[in-house]
Amino acid sequence: MEEVATIQLSGHGGRSKIVEKKQVLIQRASNSTFVQADKPIYMPGQLVRFRIVTLNSSFMPLNEEYPLVELKDPDSNRIGQWLNVKPERGIVQLSFQLAAEPSLGTYTIIVDGRQTYRTFRVEEYVLPKFKLVVTEPTQIFTSDAAFPLKVCGKYTYGKPVLGTVQVSLCRTAYTWYVDGMGSKPTDICQNVTGKVRREVGKGLTEV
């Protein structure tokens, strides 16, 4: 509801008189409805929990009844509805059980008559699988100050694996006794960390 009002300001001082008029638009404060889900993304078979609250202009929750609350799938099919829902202490708490094999995509919760909605996504998470290929020189000389080592990671569907690689380089050294009766092997290891970079469509790191 809107209406136009006129405000008049008058002032007197000595022989002077000031009169000024202004028109203002008066609007009735409207209520605001909010919908909140407990997560933005769900997996198949999970329970969707959401709440609805309506606040007045003083930010106080109202106990007004909601005629219709509905849930629509990515194809705009109504898969859930709640009729004449009444809040408890100003808040409505509802839930919906997703099927084991639901439609993947964006779902919408709609509160009837208030033009209020909330969306969430349903996605299927699959643990990524990849393989590592390590390429090293066939022989190393004692005079070599460094040698190349390549680690290539690739997912089973062909895309490179990007991230950080930790490599442990070890060699076995032998300490000979003076009498030559035997030896005691000692592993000497060095840990190297490198970031994977893209090279010719592969996830590759050089250490």
Side-chain angles (χ1 to χ4, degrees):
M1 180 178 179
E2 297 180 354
E3 62 177 300
V4 178
T6 301
I7 298 177
Q8 179 173 310
L9 176 64
S10 301
H12 299 269
R15 297 181 180 180
S16 300
K17 181 179 180 181
I18 300 175
V19 178
E20 186 174 350
K21 294 182 178 180
K22 289 284 186 178
Q23 287 187 327
V24 295
L25 177 65
I26 300 177
Q27 293 181 320
R28 182 180 178 182
S30 59
N31 301 328
S32 299
T33 302
F34 303 91
V35 182
Q36 181 184 34
D38 61 338
K39 293 192 297 185
I41 301 176
Y42 297 86
M43 290 188 292
Q46 288 188 330
L47 183 66
V48 179
R49 295 185 178 90
F50 61 96
R51 61 179 58 180
I52 306 169
V53 61
T54 298
L55 304 178
N56 60 18
S57 57
S58 300
F59 300 102
M60 297 294 294
L62 303 178
N63 283 314
E64 294 182 356
E65 189 177 86
Y66 302 96
L68 173 65
V69 178
E70 55 185 339
L71 175 62
K72 292 187 177 182
D73 67 7
D75 298 320
S76 295
N77 299 316
R78 183 190 293 174
I79 60 174
Q81 70 172 17
W82 297 263
L83 300 175
N84 302 322
V85 182
K86 190 171 183 179
E88 292 185 10
R89 297 183 180 180
I91 299 177
V92 168
Q93 299 192 69
L94 300 171
S95 62
F96 182 84
Q97 181 68 52
L98 292 173
E101 296 182 359
S103 299
L104 304 181
T106 301
Y107 286 66
T108 307
I109 303 168
I110 304 173
V111 181
D112 183 53
R114 290 174 170 80
Q115 298 182 345
T116 302
Y117 66 93
R118 171 67 62 183
T119 61
F120 62 86
R121 291 190 57 80
V122 176
E123 298 179 358
E124 190 172 20
Y125 177 77
V126 179
L127 185 66
K129 297 181 179 179
F130 58 89
K131 63 178 180 178
L132 289 175
V133 178
V134 181
T135 305
E136 72 282 347
T138 56
Q139 60 183 2
I140 303 171
F141 299 98
T142 56
S143 58
D144 292 338
F147 63 91
L149 175 65
K150 294 184 179 181
V151 180
C152 178
K154 184 185 294 185
Y155 288 110
T156 53
Y157 49 83
K159 289 189 177 181
V161 180
L162 301 180
T164 302
V165 174
Q166 294 180 345
V167 180
S168 182
L169 305 175
C170 299
R171 68 183 177 91
T172 301
Y174 293 89
T175 303
W176 292 91
Y177 294 104
V178 177
D179 56 8
M181 295 298 292
S183 63
K184 180 181 179 181
T186 302
D187 291 338
I188 301 176
C189 298
Q190 182 178 0
N191 296 322
V192 181
T193 301
K195 285 192 174 182
V196 179
R197 58 183 175 83
R198 291 182 182 273
E199 182 173 298
V200 197
K202 299 179 179 180
L204 179 68
T205 185
E206 293 185 357
V207 181

